[in-house]
Amino acid sequence: MEREKLLMTPGPTMVPTRVLQAMSKQIIHHRTKEFSEIFKNLSQNIKKVFHTENPVITLASSGTGAMESSIVNLFNPGDKILVASIGVFGDRYATIAERFGLKVDNLKITWGECVDPQLIKEKLEQNKDDQYRGVIVTHNETSTGVVNDVEEIGSILKQYEEVLFIVDAVSSMGGAKILTDEWGIDVVVTGSQKALMTPPGLAFASVSKKAMEAVEKSTLPKYYWDYKDAVNRLGKENPDTPYTPAVSLIIGANVAVNMLLEEGLENIYQRHNKLALATREAVKALGLELVTKEECASPLITSIKAPEGVDIEEVRKIMNVKYDIMIAGGQKHLKGKIFRIGHMGYVDKFDLMRTIAALEYSLLEKGYNMELGQGLAAAQKILV
Ligand code: PMP
């Protein structure tokens, strides 16, 4: 039977029909009052999702573009920064910064673990005489399903006023609580295609006053990414963007962000926490092992070790081809060793139950020794 694929991946994620319908209308011109109203609404509401009073810029790019934008806007060639990398996306931030001639101290944490904020404090203390200009942390490391304590890191960084704090929240903004201003974050970047329930192609970056001061002084070359023009235009009576925006995506994101506010941010955070707990309990009930300790486990994506003797890539294939459900495999050296279930964005308990049921059938088909229904029952009890 032909069915719509259910994406239980860490992006792109499912898009609500209301968002799709809004995007399917005839294009409107971006230098009109009509578009400006929509863009103004999105720009104001996305600030609520970020929990910030500062401007949030909308970029026509994926999340990586926003990561690059933060580097070229805030720094100068040769600046020393600290990246606390806990996986693929922390390493990517370090690579981007290196490409632009920054001196990057990559505090590499074992994959599957979160960073101990005290390690960051130690690094800052050790470098007191030649302090880092910035610290970069991934909030939700999608490659391992680990969440960092950004609040605690932020409270440490408040004692180092000259240091800029940048957070990659590409896979968490809108699904987990990030108090941008309260936690002292200067730039938070995210993408449209994950917890924000919008198709891929848009990115957002919040910019604090301290960050804007750094932008004024930054000498790295930039044109398309320049925050100055973007922020100025956001402040206009009828806001617009410096260049042609991704009009349809902005229209879609506006509807999606309205939906988030309608559901209520606290309710959304709780929904994700519950889905994550149900996923963990389900896989444990099936005798599977989690990649990370529960205290570092992400509310948006769960990483699970592939069971001994079972080809997990084959399991994923069965889920996709036979049951129309896509989950993710491992990245880099974790390929074939782990699999990841995304439960971010437009996901409800029945999506998750369907996923667990399909996982059980697929594991059984590939010879995993288990009793059908145990994972599902564990999940169902939590999702009541
Ligand atoms: N950071 C994190 C934490 C991510 O999950 C991703 C996407 N998987 C990115 C950065 C990169 O975003 P994009 O693929 O949208 O460029």
Side-chain angles (χ1 to χ4, degrees), residues 71 75-79 81 97-104 220:
I71 300 294
F75 299 109
N76 303 313
D79 277 354
I81 63 160
E98 276 162 6
R99 283 276 165 94
F100 283 95
L102 273 66
K103 278 192 231 129
V104 179
L220 273 169

Side-chain angles (χ1 to χ4, degrees), residues 10 62-64 67 89 92 138 140 142 168 170-171 193-194:
S62 76
T64 306
M67 292 161 85
F89 296 103
R92 181 177 298 180
T138 314
N140 185 66
T142 324
D168 170 354
V170 171
S171 62
Q193 76 276 25
K194 298 177 193 261

Side-chain angles (χ1 to χ4, degrees), residues 17 43 64 84 104 111 143 160 185-187 204 285 298 306 324 333 359:
T17 309
S43 302
T64 306
V104 179
W111 287 24
S143 61
Y160 302 84
I185 314 171
D186 293 300
V187 172
F204 301 92
S298 162
D324 292 297
H333 67 267
L359 175 68

Side-chain angles (χ1 to χ4, degrees), residues 266-284:
E266 283 300 329
N267 295 336
I268 293 174
Y269 306 147
Q270 275 172 31
R271 172 165 57 83
H272 283 90
N273 284 338
K274 214 167 176 183
L275 289 169
L277 178 64
T279 309
R280 294 198 295 273
E281 290 307 311
V283 294
K284 283 193 295 186

